[in-house]
Amino acid sequence: MAKSELLLAVNQIAADRNLPREIVLEVLKGALATVFRRMTDVGSTQAVDVEIDLETGQIRVFLQKTVVERVEDPRHEISLEEARRIRPDIRVGEIIRLDVTPANFAQRIAAQNVRQIVLQRIREAERDYLYRYFSEQEGEIVHGVVQAVTPQGATVLLAQGRAEAILPRNQMVPGERLQPHQRIRAYLAEVRQTPRGPQLILSRSHKNLIRRLLETEVPEIYNGLVEIKAIAREPGQRTKVAVAATQPNIDAVGACIGQRGMRIQNLVHELGGEKIDVIEWHPDPAIFIAKALSPARVLTVHLFEEKRSERTAQVVVPDDQLSLAIGREGLNARLAARLTGWRIDIHSLTEALEQWLPRVADPELQERMGEAARLIPAMQEALARHKSQPGLPWSADELRDARTFLEAAYQAYMARREAERARRRAQKAIRVEAPEIPLEKPEPVPQETELAWAAEEAPVLEPAATVELAPSIPETAPEPVALETVESPLSGETVLEARTELPVPEPARESQMEPPIPEPAQELSEAPFPIFPEPERVTIQEDEEEEEAEEEEEEIRRRKKAGKGKERRRVRYEIDYEDETWLRRMRGGRVRDWLEE
């Protein structure tokens, strides 16, 4: 094959497929290696290298083998002696390339044999090349031409028709109507690898589309002089962009808008009339929130930050600015909340005064407000006047005084809350640092019933006399025991002392008397009042009943948890056994036979 013919063929394929010449050359080498394996007995596991000289058109085929002392696999190994005939300085373990090009290899190759392999390999190479190319472009803006529009979306041709992309309906701007052969710019949201090639997903509703369009239209953003801090977008309606300058003496908002608004108008035209608000970013959340609610004028912003997930900003605006701050269907407030990351509650001035005036009735808050507390009567009068006359506009002086009052009330409220939190933290720290002192369990004070029972059971002692047990208990019931409270001289506690006057039984006969209990004689005044512990009551039956009840409850809970605890309603039906319809509906013949009998 002549030199010019080979070069022309490679260049023609590269131009038709929009592929680099190097990729086409690699595909051609792989196809020639496959044809060589088919012509010879070379296995698919052997390494075959094909070299093509574009200057001369010469094709050479090489096999790679490993140099060994003793050959065990001739297809992959070669002896050291044979290898040194080709290259004298080779050693054992090295790889040698053997030239195995058949005679007249280029002339013997049938064009039809190579054509199918080359076309298949080129298609595979083209898919891999497109996937790598668009994977690098993911997250960027791509230019394309609308090919077709369907209810499911639109098909867009990219890169001079090299690839087809899908623009789903949910990724299109609401209300936008695309026409065939229309040139558009879209955001490449996702690149998927499929057996048929890369699948490209476009989006025109993604908020990063605004970022990439601003980088294209505003050189200061592309060069890094202006930074985009946050973007909040409602596709087709409104977009808010927060920008900040990275260097002093640079107007970030003016650079994005451009002279006479030319730069921002290009974006609005590209997005089909979607409004774009450019806002200057500020590190103070209160100031940033006030700017994010533009074009509405904000009086005050009160921040209540319990946790990051519960950050709330209470915004106060004049009564005539409330609808403008909220926006149509809450659009302006919703975009401001997304842009700042705060939950925003918007109140009119009248509502804010109704909320804060009852709070500042506390003398502590008035003391913390300082000089601003003198505005309370004036705010009460202004609130009463505007409530009695709805629609009455607030004057500039009233707005200034209201702002001063609300700011002072908010600062006083937050200062008191912080002081209360500090006090609680200090108390908690003291409790944690204080050592735990084990407390001794005090002995239980005998109750009145226990003392009465002990008095009845206690033996009666006489001074300087021994006590002998009576042979029998008298039938007459003892008189009630009189209890008196006596202060113990040792512990200083008040205890109950039983004073009894029980009749001493007459001594019985010696034959009927039991042997006396040998106890030393004690005087009544010196003997302490005997306190006996309450006997343990045996409640075995009650405990067993309680355990059975607990087991039944546990079984009911377990069955309910398993879905088997539902009580089935048992309904008794009155059946007319003479009704043939009922008999026909019965399954089986047992009931019918029994009825016949």
Side-chain angles (χ1 to χ4, degrees), residues 404-426:
T404 304
F405 165 74
L406 292 175
E407 288 291 343
Y410 167 72
Q411 295 295 337
Y413 176 78
M414 295 300 293
R416 187 177 68 174
R417 191 173 68 167
E418 291 298 328
E420 182 66 20
R421 288 182 178 178
R423 185 183 63 80
R424 293 179 181 177
R425 286 194 295 266

Side-chain angles (χ1 to χ4, degrees), residues 79-289:
S79 63
L80 181 61
E81 297 179 359
E82 295 180 3
R84 284 185 175 177
R85 294 175 186 173
I86 303 173
R87 206 172 80 189
D89 59 342
I90 198 168
R91 297 179 181 179
V92 176
E94 295 182 359
I95 304 297
I96 188 172
R97 299 177 65 197
L98 302 177
D99 190 353
V100 293
T101 307
N104 300 326
F105 179 64
Q107 288 76 14
R108 291 171 58 186
I109 297 175
Q112 198 67 22
N113 296 336
V114 182
R115 183 170 179 269
Q116 296 296 332
I117 300 175
V118 170
L119 291 178
Q120 181 181 359
R121 297 289 180 84
I122 286 179
R123 283 194 293 267
E124 294 176 358
E126 184 179 8
R127 293 171 184 172
D128 294 340
Y129 175 75
L130 289 177
Y131 178 74
R132 292 195 301 269
Y133 174 78
F134 286 107
S135 295
E136 297 176 356
Q137 298 294 323
E138 187 174 359
E140 301 291 338
I141 287 181
V142 293
H143 298 255
V145 179
V146 178
Q147 184 180 13
V149 181
T150 62
Q152 290 76 23
T155 304
V156 183
L157 292 178
L158 303 179
Q160 293 81 33
R162 293 163 56 186
E164 286 188 357
I166 301 174
L167 180 60
R169 178 65 62 178
N170 58 355
Q171 296 296 330
M172 297 174 62
V173 177
E176 183 181 26
R177 295 183 179 180
L178 300 178
Q179 302 296 333
H181 309 292
Q182 178 183 352
R183 292 186 175 273
I184 62 171
R185 288 188 288 182
Y187 179 77
L188 184 56
E190 186 179 359
V191 180
R192 303 173 184 172
Q193 181 69 289
T194 62
R196 295 185 178 182
Q199 184 179 12
L200 311 178
I201 308 298
L202 303 180
S203 174
R204 284 178 60 84
S205 62
H206 203 282
K207 66 178 183 179
N208 285 340
L209 176 65
I210 306 295
R211 184 186 299 271
R212 297 294 178 250
L213 289 175
L214 284 172
E215 292 176 356
T216 305
E217 297 291 338
V218 183
E220 289 82 359
I221 296 179
Y222 182 80
N223 296 329
L225 300 178
V226 177
E227 181 182 1
I228 299 176
K229 290 291 187 178
I231 298 176
R233 185 186 182 194
E234 285 284 342
Q237 300 184 32
R238 201 179 197 92
T239 299
K240 288 182 179 290
V241 184
V243 296
T246 58
Q247 295 183 5
N249 301 327
I250 293 180
D251 184 8
V253 178
C256 295
I257 294 176
Q259 187 176 7
R260 296 182 181 179
M262 292 299 297
R263 293 178 178 177
I264 207 69
Q265 286 299 325
N266 294 335
L267 269 68
V268 172
H269 178 71
E270 177 68 27
L271 299 175
E274 181 178 330
K275 297 179 180 180
I276 300 177
D277 296 339
V278 182
I279 300 165
E280 184 179 2
W281 180 83
H282 199 278
D284 188 357
I287 300 177
F288 185 34
I289 291 172

Side-chain angles (χ1 to χ4, degrees), residues 512-581:
Q512 298 178 355
M513 293 179 61
E514 295 181 0
I517 299 175
E519 289 185 358
Q522 297 181 358
E523 296 183 359
L524 183 60
S525 59
E526 297 180 357
F529 185 81
I531 300 176
F532 300 96
E534 184 177 358
E536 298 180 359
R537 299 180 181 178
V538 181
T539 57
I540 297 177
Q541 185 176 1
E542 296 179 0
D543 294 341
E544 291 178 354
E545 293 177 357
E546 292 179 0
E547 290 178 0
E548 291 177 359
E550 291 178 359
E551 290 177 358
E552 291 178 359
E553 293 178 359
E554 182 65 27
E555 181 66 18
I556 292 173
R557 286 196 297 268
R558 185 185 66 79
R559 292 180 62 86
K560 284 185 178 180
K561 187 175 182 181
K564 301 179 181 179
K566 296 182 179 179
E567 297 182 1
R568 298 181 179 178
R569 297 179 58 188
R570 298 181 180 179
V571 182
R572 301 180 64 181
Y573 297 94
E574 296 294 337
I575 300 175
D576 186 7
Y577 296 104
E578 302 298 331
D579 188 5
E580 296 180 358
T581 304

